[in-house]
Amino acid sequence: MTQAPELPKERRHRHDREIIGLALPAFGALVAEPLFVMADSAIIGHLGTTQLAGLGVAAALLMTAVNVFVFLAYATTAAVARRVGAGDLTSAIRQGMDGVWLALLLGVAVVAIALPAAPWLVHAFGASETAAPYAITYLRISSLGIPAMLTVLAATGVLRGLQNTRTPLYIAIGGFTSNAALNALLVYGVGLGIAGSAWGTVIAQCAMAIAYLIVVVRGAQRHGASLRPDAAGIRASAQAGVPLLIRTLSIRAVLLIATAVAARLGDVDIAAHQIVLALWSLLAFALDAIAIAGQAIIGRHLGAGDAVGARQACRRMVEWGVASGVLLGLLVSVSRPLFIPLFTSDPAVYDTLLPVLLVVAVSQPIAGVVFVLDGVLMGAGDGPYLAGAMLVTLAVFAPVALLVPTFGGGLRALWWAMALMMTVRMLTLWWRTRSGRWIVTGATR
């Protein structure tokens, strides 16, 4: 076992300042992508219900296509942070550029698939005959921005690894502002309708990618790092990302199973489930910000050969995760009667939501530990274990969730199954961190 020694007060304060300094800007950048979709929805919603329905289908497909590649940010953060800790900034930025090149290659491949497959994907997703043309139009145009979106992910990972989460926040604010302005101009001013919204998003995403590339390229030039694609480096980035891709797909499978089960429970339950899922996602952003700080800090400590510092940072971040989870849980519990009317006026949905939100509130301290330890192990480059642990979690969750309609309990039982899923994740991650096998020092794992 590798129990971290008790942290002196001064050391705790230093860790706290570092966690806050990285986590707060990271949280602001994390909410940028949902805000893009919200801005598009607000503008398109005034064109008509069918246009909004088309946007909903296309946006879900687009976000799925992008989010499965979130490993571009996570793996790059860990790899760059290790080299920063080892004092080799040139190698750190070079590794980051390999991640950016991988993002561009993957982006081009996804576009090549999405453009011809857009009609099939939209119909497979269940879009109505009236909404499908709008969904196809939006998906085809917005998919052109996927290389930029993936570049943003990889470049964000570079800057996080360099212990810089402020620049991603500033770029995210600029991207959201320009996206909203362009959408309003192209949809209403130019009269392009839903196509204008898609083009506005593509332009904003490309502008964000360019801003990131300017920052990364300047850093590369300053430290003498090559900007040319390196086949070996790109392969290494891809290999590091495969386990995290498996982890991400497993999490997506959990969410899909939960939604499918909720749909089988009835219209009231699926409506309530979507509201709970939206809140759960928002809470996840807050906790994920601490995890991002963990990726950067742990990677740097291990790169510097400071195993004791890595353990101490891990311990302090777990304390932050628990405290944040308790606070968020209390907020959810207390605000339930105020929160629900913002989303529904249906008494049946209200009555279903009230006890389910209490389950979500109770599980937040567990979620706090899960997100932090997830970030710690990502920062350590322990991707294969994370993939295996998430597959085990999926294997436990799936049968329990699928039996909910048979044994009863409704949506509350389903969300207790979600709480079980988070508990299994916590136990597998806790066991790994206690074992100390994640602690591998040096510029590379």
Side-chain angles (χ1 to χ4, degrees), residues 337-362:
L338 303 174
F339 168 79
I340 298 174
L342 297 175
F343 291 88
T344 182
S345 57
D346 187 332
V349 176
Y350 183 97
D351 291 340
T352 301
L353 275 172
L354 207 59
V356 173
L357 288 177
L358 188 59
V359 176
V360 172
V362 169

Side-chain angles (χ1 to χ4, degrees), residues 370-395:
V370 167
F371 277 86
V372 166
L373 294 183
D374 212 37
V376 166
L377 295 183
M378 282 186 194
D382 205 10
Y385 181 81
L386 288 171
M390 196 59 225
L391 286 172
V392 169
T393 301
L394 175 60

Side-chain angles (χ1 to χ4, degrees), residues 197-213:
S197 176
W199 281 117
T201 300
V202 169
I203 294 169
Q205 293 283 0
C206 289
M208 290 175 66
I210 290 169
Y212 271 112
L213 288 175

Side-chain angles (χ1 to χ4, degrees), residues 67-139:
N67 288 338
V68 295
F69 296 112
V70 72
F71 70 83
L72 289 166
Y74 294 158
T76 304
T77 297
V80 171
R82 273 185 176 271
R83 287 162 176 79
V84 168
D88 189 354
L89 283 176
T90 300
S91 177
I93 296 175
R94 174 64 262 179
Q95 179 69 36
M97 284 304 305
D98 291 335
V100 171
W101 280 112
L102 175 61
L104 287 169
L105 291 172
L106 289 173
V108 171
V110 173
V111 172
I113 295 170
L115 286 177
W120 180 86
L121 290 169
V122 166
H123 289 294
F125 207 79
S128 67
E129 289 302 317
T130 53
Y134 296 111
I136 294 168
T137 296
Y138 189 92
L139 183 59

Side-chain angles (χ1 to χ4, degrees), residues 79-287:
V80 171
R82 273 185 176 271
R83 287 162 176 79
V84 168
D88 189 354
L89 283 176
T90 300
S91 177
I93 296 175
R94 174 64 262 179
Q95 179 69 36
M97 284 304 305
D98 291 335
V100 171
W101 280 112
L102 175 61
L104 287 169
L105 291 172
L106 289 173
V108 171
V110 173
V111 172
I113 295 170
L115 286 177
W120 180 86
L121 290 169
V122 166
H123 289 294
F125 207 79
S128 67
E129 289 302 317
T130 53
Y134 296 111
I136 294 168
T137 296
Y138 189 92
L139 183 59
R140 276 183 165 158
I141 296 172
S142 60
S143 67
L144 298 175
I146 288 177
M149 295 180 195
L150 299 190
T151 298
V152 166
L153 281 177
T156 300
V158 176
L159 296 183
R160 287 174 183 170
L162 294 171
Q163 320 293 297
N164 176 2
T165 57
R166 290 183 179 274
T167 299
L169 173 61
Y170 300 147
I171 294 176
I173 292 172
F176 169 72
T177 304
S178 61
N179 177 67
L182 285 166
N183 268 256
L185 173 64
L186 296 175
V187 171
Y188 298 118
V190 181
L192 293 179
I194 196 169
S197 176
W199 281 117
T201 300
V202 169
I203 294 169
Q205 293 283 0
C206 289
M208 290 175 66
I210 290 169
Y212 271 112
L213 288 175
I214 289 172
V215 174
V216 173
V217 168
R218 283 179 177 173
Q221 291 173 337
R222 187 161 52 248
H223 295 284
S226 173
L227 297 174
R228 294 180 179 179
D230 175 65
I234 293 172
R235 267 197 312 273
S237 294
Q239 288 169 355
V242 168
L244 296 181
L245 175 61
I246 294 170
R247 166 198 167 275
T248 300
L249 291 174
S250 299
I251 293 173
R252 287 280 157 191
V254 165
L255 298 178
L256 285 172
I257 290 170
T259 300
V261 171
R264 291 173 62 190
L265 296 175
D267 290 347
V268 169
D269 290 280
I270 186 61
H273 176 74
Q274 290 304 115
I275 295 172
V276 178
L277 202 58
L279 175 64
W280 194 72
S281 298
L282 179 62
L283 297 172
F285 283 131
L287 297 173

